[in-house]
């Protein structure tokens, strides 16, 4: 099997790292060699977060070079554009159609850039969904990350993996039912 890679990007507090950990759990349970790296940056202050996951028969490094990722999951659409150069030309992007103002935008020093989603759709195969809206319909915006994880698993096409088992393994019991619903809703939204 050829090695594959995914980059999950967002803003601190959006749950990109938990989504990556669920991905890693499912891949490892299915026998893949998996490596993961995380870059927190100023994540606790609303800064950019990226997580890279590399899997296959034998993987030596979690690091994904520019133009090498098979899949990107963007928890915020400006982050999709920021990390677009990591995707392969035939890569797939799962993008949350969601805007989160950076500190410079919130301070009025600049405006949120227009056309982020359209720029990505012009250059890559994209699955765009409003994970915030889906999560709110389930009862909590806090499961937005698992909605995106569900969409990601659909885009990956690895349907032989029991992803729900991995959600159960990684999500605290008191939030489990909500997150299982979020996972299923994300898969449905990516059809």
């Amino acid at each position: 099997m050829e090695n594959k890679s995914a980059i999950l990007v967002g803003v601190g507090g959006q749950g990109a790292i938990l989504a990556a950990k669920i991905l890693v759990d499912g891949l490892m349970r299915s026998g893949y060699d998996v490596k993961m790296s995380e870059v927190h940056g100023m994540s606790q202050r609303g800064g950019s977060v990226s997580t890279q996951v590399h899997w296959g028969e034998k993987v030596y490094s979690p690091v994904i070079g520019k133009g090498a990722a098979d899949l990107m999951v963007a928890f915020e659409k400006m982050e999709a554009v920021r990390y677009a150069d990591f995707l392969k030309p035939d890569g797939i992007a799962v993008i949350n159609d969601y805007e989160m103002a950076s500190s410079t935008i919130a301070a009025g020093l600049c405006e949120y850039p227009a056309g982020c989603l359209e720029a990505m759709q012009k250059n890559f195969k994209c699955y765009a969904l409003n994970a915030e809206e889906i999560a709110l319909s389930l009862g909590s915006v806090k499961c937005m990350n698992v909605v995106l994880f569900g969409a990601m698993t659909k885009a990956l096409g690895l349907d032989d993996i029991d992803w729900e088992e991995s959600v159960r393994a990684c999500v605290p019991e008191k939030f489990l039912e909500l997150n299982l619903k979020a996972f299923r809703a994300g898969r449905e939204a990516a059809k």
Side-chain angles (χ1 to χ4, degrees):
M1 180 221 164
E2 173 185 344
N3 287 356
K4 297 286 184 182
S5 58
I7 182 166
L8 291 78
V9 299
V11 175
Q14 286 191 292
I17 293 172
L18 175 60
K21 287 180 178 178
I22 299 170
L23 174 64
V24 168
D25 184 88
L27 292 167
M28 287 178 66
R29 287 174 190 267
S30 295
Y32 292 100
D33 184 25
V34 185
K35 304 286 186 280
M36 175 182 152
S37 72
E38 4 177 309
V39 176
H40 297 272
M42 292 292 291
S43 63
Q44 291 184 348
R45 305 223 188 279
S48 188
V49 174
S50 71
T51 302
Q52 299 181 359
V53 180
H54 214 156
W55 69 95
E57 191 172 315
K58 183 65 183 160
V59 176
Y60 297 96
S61 171
V63 178
I64 302 167
K66 292 190 177 187
D70 297 289
L71 176 77
M72 170 198 286
V73 181
F75 288 64
E76 198 276 342
K77 60 187 178 181
M78 187 168 46
E79 293 300 311
V81 175
R82 183 187 318 271
Y83 288 93
D85 58 347
F86 280 89
L87 264 178
K88 289 180 177 179
D90 62 344
I92 299 170
V94 175
I95 303 171
N96 188 8
D97 190 1
Y98 177 76
E99 293 180 11
M100 186 174 241
S102 67
S103 57
T104 53
I105 293 169
L109 300 174
C110 61
E111 291 183 19
Y112 194 95
C116 292
L117 187 57
E118 296 77 9
M120 291 298 293
Q121 290 170 327
K122 182 178 174 182
N123 293 293
F124 302 101
K125 179 179 180 183
C126 295
Y127 293 85
L129 62 146
N130 188 323
E132 178 192 36
E133 189 176 279
I134 294 168
L136 285 172
S137 76
L138 297 171
S140 175
V141 73
K142 291 185 178 189
C143 66
M144 187 167 56
N145 59 335
V146 181
V147 170
L148 288 162
F149 174 75
M152 174 185 65
T153 63
K154 193 67 177 175
L156 276 173
L158 293 172
D159 295 327
D160 57 329
I161 294 175
D162 185 350
W163 294 112
E164 289 193 16
E165 180 181 12
S166 294
V167 172
R168 284 183 184 90
C170 297
V171 172
E173 182 67 36
K174 67 181 179 176
F175 303 114
L176 185 56
E177 282 310 309
L178 172 65
N179 281 281
L180 286 170
K181 289 177 186 173
F183 168 75
R184 294 171 193 141
R187 284 188 59 87
E188 186 64 31
K191 284 186 176 178

